């Protein structure tokens, strides 16, 4: 069943589904429960909710999708079918640890909003967005090098650490559009106001 799922993910170029399959397997096998707690601690949103944000923006496709928003309804129908098929195959792999369809969509959404270049970093996932961030995140040359977070300016005691999910030098409209489509929120930071 894993090979069928892996092939399905590969054929559909669906990295998130493959990743959540691996994450679920690792969490099941982690007797300490640490991996489950770490994944559960990440920002969460169901994939269908993310998709509604895309659809309601009038764009019809993710920000960096190359189809220029054409055929949103057809794409949406394809997405729902793909999610349902993926969920069914996912549960066939884990007969003793099945998840509901809503949980599967939450797994997908959680991975999608927290991954950077197909990797998850616990520190990065806990940094909220600000268009004028107080930290910068530096990635190693290789994924296994991890990340480091550096202060960009003096940070007061109890001040939230923030990074920018988008290029802060982009125009206000472009930043707002990217944030709405890819992360599902409208920024209200001082720079955007």
């Amino acid at each position: 069943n894993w090979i069928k799922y892996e092939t399905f993910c590969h054929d559909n170029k669906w990295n998130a589904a493959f990743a959540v399959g691996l994450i679920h397997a690792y969490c099941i096998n982690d007797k300490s429960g640490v991996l489950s707690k770490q994944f559960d601690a990440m920002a969460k949103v169901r994939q269908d909710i993310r998709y509604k944000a895309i659809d309601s923006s009038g764009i019809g496709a993710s920000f960096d999708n190359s189809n220029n928003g054409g055929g949103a309804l057809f794409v949406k129908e394809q997405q729902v079918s793909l999610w349902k098929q993926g969920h069914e195959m996912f549960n066939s792999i884990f007969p003793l640890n099945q998840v509901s369809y809503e949980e599967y969509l939450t797994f997908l959404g959680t991975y999608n909003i927290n991954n950077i270049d197909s990797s998850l970093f616990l520190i990065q996932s806990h940094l909220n967005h600000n268009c004028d961030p107080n930290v910068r995140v530096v990635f190693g040359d290789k994924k296994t090098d991890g990340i480091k977070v550096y202060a960009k300016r003096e940070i007061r005691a109890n001040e939230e650490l923030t990074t920018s999910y988008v290029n802060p030098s982009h125009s206000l409209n472009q930043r707002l559009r990217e944030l709405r489509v890819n992360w599902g929120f409208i920024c209200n930071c001082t720079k955007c106001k």
Side-chain angles (χ1 to χ4, degrees):
N1 288 337
W2 174 260
I3 292 170
K4 287 179 189 173
Y5 186 72
E6 184 176 8
T7 302
F8 173 75
C9 294
H10 181 268
D11 290 349
N12 288 287
K13 296 176 179 54
W14 198 10
N15 188 46
F18 179 74
V20 299
L22 288 176
I23 291 165
H24 193 58
Y26 282 123
C27 288
I28 290 168
N29 288 314
D30 175 30
K31 302 304 177 204
S32 71
V34 170
L35 293 177
S36 288
K37 286 179 185 174
Q38 289 176 336
F39 190 66
D40 287 344
M42 293 183 173
K44 292 190 176 355
V45 65
R46 283 191 352 219
Q47 188 62 24
D48 57 335
I49 302 299
R50 290 185 77 235
Y51 197 86
K52 283 180 187 174
I54 293 166
D55 201 35
S56 69
S57 70
I59 296 165
S62 67
F63 181 77
D64 45 14
N65 193 327
S66 60
N67 76 356
N68 295 319
L73 181 61
F74 179 67
V75 172
K76 183 176 182 178
E77 289 170 355
Q78 282 182 317
Q79 285 297 116
V80 172
S81 175
L82 192 71
W83 297 334
K84 288 183 178 180
Q85 191 175 359
H87 172 248
E88 203 173 290
M89 294 176 83
F90 180 91
N91 274 339
S92 72
I93 300 166
F94 307 105
L96 302 177
N97 300 93
Q98 295 196 353
V99 299
S100 70
Y101 180 63
E102 289 74 21
E103 288 173 303
Y104 183 68
L105 292 179
T106 301
F107 284 178
L108 292 171
T110 299
Y111 174 79
N112 281 327
I113 64 170
N114 289 287
N115 94 84
I116 297 173
D117 194 24
S118 302
S119 296
L120 293 175
F121 300 99
L122 192 59
I123 291 171
Q124 173 72 16
S125 73
H126 284 85
L127 297 174
N128 282 327
H129 168 79
N130 193 305
C131 292
D132 186 21
N134 58 14
V135 300
R136 66 184 174 93
V137 179
V138 178
F139 297 89
D141 293 332
K142 300 177 293 200
K143 288 182 183 185
T144 55
D145 291 342
I147 64 169
K148 293 182 181 168
V149 177
Y150 296 98
K152 289 180 71 175
R153 59 170 172 77
E154 217 171 285
I155 300 172
R156 298 179 312 275
N158 298 317
E159 181 181 352
E160 179 181 27
L161 301 180
T162 59
T163 187
S164 184
Y165 298 171
V166 297
N167 185 333
S169 66
H170 285 168
S171 71
L172 171 63
N173 286 338
Q174 188 173 6
R175 290 193 319 270
L176 292 175
R177 177 177 179 249
E178 283 185 64
L179 291 166
R180 173 75 174 133
V181 169
N182 291 315
W183 286 275
F185 69 91
I186 297 171
C187 186
N188 286 320
C189 74
T190 305
K191 186 173 181 174
C192 287
K193 288 179 183 177

